[in-house]
Amino acid sequence: MKAVDITTRIRMTTRHILINCSAKDSRMKTTYTVPALLGLMLMSPLVLAHPGHEHASHAFTSGLLHPLTGLDHLVMLLGIGMLGAWQSRKGRTQLYIGTLGILFAGAVLGLITQISAGIEMVILASMFLIAAALFFSAKGWLPMIASLVLVMFHGWAHGLEMPAEGVFSFMPGMLIMASFIMATGFALGKTFQPKWLGAGSAAAAALIAVLG
């Protein structure tokens, strides 16, 4: 099946889901909506294109698209956005700003050190921990600090894949897209039950583990 046909089908199905969510019995439909949305995300050729991040350019647009080309990074940023949905306003602001800062710091460390041993395993573990935090509606400093520490390794992986010249062009684009992804996660966190979000995140992490 052509990529264009897949994209069209995804858009039509997503529209149908959103219409269903607006119905009076949306709580009941949530049971089917969350798995469907996750399925659509996993079907997307873009988010499954993570193996072999290749950036021939260090341009701003390349950085802008980068967080969308790896399902692991996408799931983590969505999870951070969801986690902030039930924190206090101050805690949520600290979490989101801290995430962007840690992403940048981690990317710089990855770029400088070029140490890659064990990074993928930590990234995988981080997604399961975020899924657990979502499932149990974790609040307070502990889950936020743990999330920020784990985000550093995602930034580290970005740094390993980033051209040295990209600090002032690639990185701003990546951070802007990360902000939009977290905003999407926040909207999801305000819409759906934490247990469904946690279960969905865990399923995505398991799929990533299987795909390698």
Side-chain angles (χ1 to χ4, degrees), residues 6-26:
I6 296 175
T7 302
T8 302
R9 181 170 297 181
I10 289 174
R11 288 176 179 173
M12 292 176 63
T13 307
T14 303
R15 185 180 302 171
H16 176 70
I17 289 172
L18 292 175
I19 291 173
N20 285 342
C21 285
S22 64
K24 293 182 179 180
D25 59 341
S26 58

Side-chain angles (χ1 to χ4, degrees), residues 59-96:
F60 173 82
T61 52
S62 184
L64 196 65
L65 294 175
H66 188 76
L68 297 174
T69 58
L71 184 57
D72 47 3
H73 302 314
L74 184 63
V75 169
M76 184 67 179
L77 288 170
L78 282 173
I80 293 291
M82 295 172 192
L83 189 61
W86 49 80
Q87 309 299 324
S88 66
R89 179 176 297 181
K90 180 180 179 180
R92 179 165 56 247
T93 300
Q94 292 171 336
L95 176 63
Y96 292 165

